Amino acid sequence: MPNPENDSAWTRLIDRLGRLPGIGKRSAERIAFHLIRQPPEETQTLATALNDLVTDLRVCSECGNLSEADPCAICADTKRDRTTVMVVERPSDIVAIEQLGSYRGLYHVLLGRLAPLDGIGPGEMNTEPLLERIRSSSIDEVVLATTPTLEGDGTALFLMEQLERLGVRVTRLARGMPTGSNFASVSKAVLSDAIQGRTSMNAGQ
Amino acid sequence: MPNPENDSAWTRLIDRLGRLPGIGKRSAERIAFHLIRQPPEETQTLATALNDLVTDLRVCSECGNLSEADPCAICADTKRDRTTVMVVERPSDIVAIEQLGSYRGLYHVLLGRLAPLDGIGPGEMNTEPLLERIRSSSIDEVVLATTPTLEGDGTALFLMEQLERLGVRVTRLARGMPTGSNFASVSKAVLSDAIQGRTSMNAGQ
């Protein structure tokens, strides 16, 4: 007869997997089937990655970035421009922008974006701390740098509505044709953005 | 600047989650966002459940059941009827059947079922070991006890085709109206099964 303990290690895993967003009981069971057939090292590596997340990373209490320290190195850097905050969806977005070396303001990481179809609402994002930061600090410009997608745009719109009430200046990243592209390769949406957002070339305008 | 190590703990987890069946890069990131916002204990409990799976459970090399020992207690039990094998999808199905106490044969656990829409093919099930068992042992009846669903039926049909070639008797669990149900509560499919599978009540037929 199956040992009750065995059964509970199995059902415990399925229960735990089923609590993750987007994973129902059926998917959880499928993942458990997959894991039990994999070499044990694969499963252990996943377990280690989960434990590393908890032990190695903190969420910066100021900006929501992932960091070993709290506040993170960017928030703690006194040479940064503390009047500008760029709002991004994920920590890796910061990495990409920091590599440019040109942006000197602070960041705010949403750790998510609105996706109503997936059941992700405002509460699943790091929104309230952003509003609180703006209320209690010297920020005068918020740059919305959500991804240029339907969900990213929806997230930006939602944030815009919240931020407007606080009387802060809100900007968003320019949208247009990517440098190096051509008319044949860009989508209609890109072209349409480029026309709508056309900028004046006359000096002084 | 974000510490490269932090970034790698984060991306490592997303990479590992993305290797699970049915989880793409996008879902993996969403789960990681969820985990980093959860209390650390939640994530650690999941990590522990994964490690427990590997340390506490073995897949029985004979039947595919989950067990602390290999072979499992059922396969090792010399009092079981070794001429009959019941094929089930998951270890918990065995638990349910063993609770009846009436089935005395052996089992074979598929650890999955065919689900072409989810990309789960024959290779993702414990099929070949079943065929090998039948070729090399005294099994004369295989009872297909896959779940009475579209996917379970598809799995049974696939197995039937494989098993027929081995000349073994193949049966499947009866399908019909559940005891205690009534005509108003059962679905058309159930009623249809019950009519199609009607059995003779005349003695001796």
Side-chain angles (χ1 to χ4, degrees):
Chain A
M1 230 143 346
N3 185 314
E5 265 199 298
N6 300 344
D7 186 52
S8 78
W10 178 250
T11 53
R12 206 162 57 233
L13 177 63
I14 292 177
D15 170 54
R16 282 286 151 183
L17 288 170
R19 295 179 191 210
L20 299 176
I23 299 187
K25 197 184 172 313
R26 194 184 137 104
S27 308
E29 190 181 51
R30 180 180 166 195
I31 292 169
F33 283 148
H34 169 84
L35 292 171
I36 195 77
R37 280 192 311 254
Q38 288 289 100
E41 303 78 50
E42 292 285 314
T43 304
Q44 282 162 331
T45 306
L46 174 58
T48 305
L50 287 163
N51 280 324
D52 287 354
L53 182 77
V54 168
T55 53
D56 294 3
L57 295 183
R58 299 277 162 277
V59 174
C60 172
S61 56
E62 289 190 31
C63 73
N65 192 16
L66 302 182
S67 166
E68 274 179 2
D70 182 16
C72 73
I74 294 176
C75 285
D77 184 348
T78 52
K79 290 192 223 111
R80 311 269 319 194
D81 168 12
R82 309 192 84 78
T83 63
T84 310
V85 166
M86 186 181 288
V87 178
V88 297
E89 291 172 9
R90 56 182 71 76
S92 59
D93 299 341
I94 295 186
V95 177
I97 293 163
E98 285 297 294
Q99 276 164 359
L100 299 177
S102 55
Y103 176 72
R104 297 300 302 155
L106 302 175
Y107 291 97
H108 193 86
V109 186
L110 295 174
L111 290 171
R113 57 177 171 180
L114 288 185
L117 293 179
D118 295 333
I120 305 180
E124 261 91 358
M125 298 189 308
N126 192 22
T127 316
E128 192 45 51
L130 170 64
L131 304 180
E132 191 46 45
R133 262 177 105 181
I134 290 160
R135 280 186 210 109
S136 62
S137 66
S138 53
I139 293 162
D140 57 27
E141 179 180 351
V142 178
V143 186
L144 297 180
T146 53
T147 50
T149 61
L150 210 63
E151 290 173 352
D153 284 348
T155 304
L157 201 66
F158 166 77
L159 291 174
M160 178 66 208
E161 284 166 5
Q162 309 287 309
L163 292 164
E164 257 184 337
R165 295 179 205 157
L166 302 181
V168 71
R169 188 176 162 223
V170 184
T171 56
R172 71 167 189 166
L173 297 191
R175 195 79 59 93
M177 290 184 66
T179 296
S181 65
N182 60 59
F183 287 98
S185 67
V186 300
S187 73
K188 283 182 188 167
V190 168
L191 203 52
S192 171
D193 278 342
I195 294 169
Q196 205 183 338
R198 65 194 183 277
T199 54
S200 171
M201 293 186 70
N202 307 90
Q205 296 243 17
Chain B
M1 230 143 345
N3 185 312
E5 266 199 295
N6 300 344
D7 187 50
S8 79
W10 178 250
T11 54
R12 207 162 56 233
L13 176 63
I14 291 176
D15 170 55
R16 282 286 151 183
L17 289 170
R19 294 179 191 211
L20 299 177
I23 299 189
K25 196 184 173 313
R26 195 183 136 107
S27 307
E29 188 180 52
R30 181 180 167 196
I31 292 169
F33 283 148
H34 169 83
L35 291 171
I36 194 76
R37 280 193 309 254
Q38 288 288 102
E41 303 78 51
E42 291 285 314
T43 304
Q44 283 162 332
T45 307
L46 174 58
T48 304
L50 287 163
N51 280 324
D52 287 353
L53 182 77
V54 169
T55 53
D56 293 3
L57 295 183
R58 298 277 162 278
V59 174
C60 171
S61 56
E62 290 191 31
C63 73
N65 192 15
L66 301 183
S67 166
E68 273 179 2
D70 181 17
C72 74
I74 294 175
C75 286
D77 184 350
T78 53
K79 291 191 223 112
R80 311 269 320 194
D81 169 12
R82 308 191 86 78
T83 65
T84 309
V85 165
M86 187 181 287
V87 178
V88 297
E89 291 173 7
R90 55 181 73 76
S92 59
D93 299 340
I94 296 187
V95 177
I97 294 162
E98 285 298 294
Q99 277 165 359
L100 299 175
S102 54
Y103 177 73
R104 296 301 301 155
L106 302 176
Y107 291 97
H108 194 86
V109 186
L110 295 175
L111 290 173
R113 57 176 170 180
L114 288 184
L117 294 179
D118 296 333
I120 305 180
E124 262 92 359
M125 298 191 309
N126 192 24
T127 317
E128 192 45 52
L130 171 64
L131 303 179
E132 192 45 45
R133 263 177 105 181
I134 290 160
R135 281 185 208 110
S136 64
S137 67
S138 55
I139 293 163
D140 58 26
E141 179 180 351
V142 178
V143 186
L144 298 180
T146 52
T147 50
T149 60
L150 210 63
E151 290 172 353
D153 285 349
T155 304
L157 201 66
F158 166 78
L159 292 174
M160 177 66 208
E161 284 166 5
Q162 309 286 311
L163 293 165
E164 257 183 338
R165 297 178 204 159
L166 303 180
V168 70
R169 186 174 165 227
V170 184
T171 56
R172 69 166 191 169
L173 297 191
R175 196 79 60 95
M177 290 185 65
T179 296
S181 66
N182 59 59
F183 288 97
S185 66
V186 301
S187 73
K188 284 180 187 168
V190 169
L191 204 51
S192 171
D193 279 341
I195 293 169
Q196 204 183 339
R198 64 194 183 278
T199 53
S200 170
M201 294 187 70
N202 307 91
Q205 297 242 15

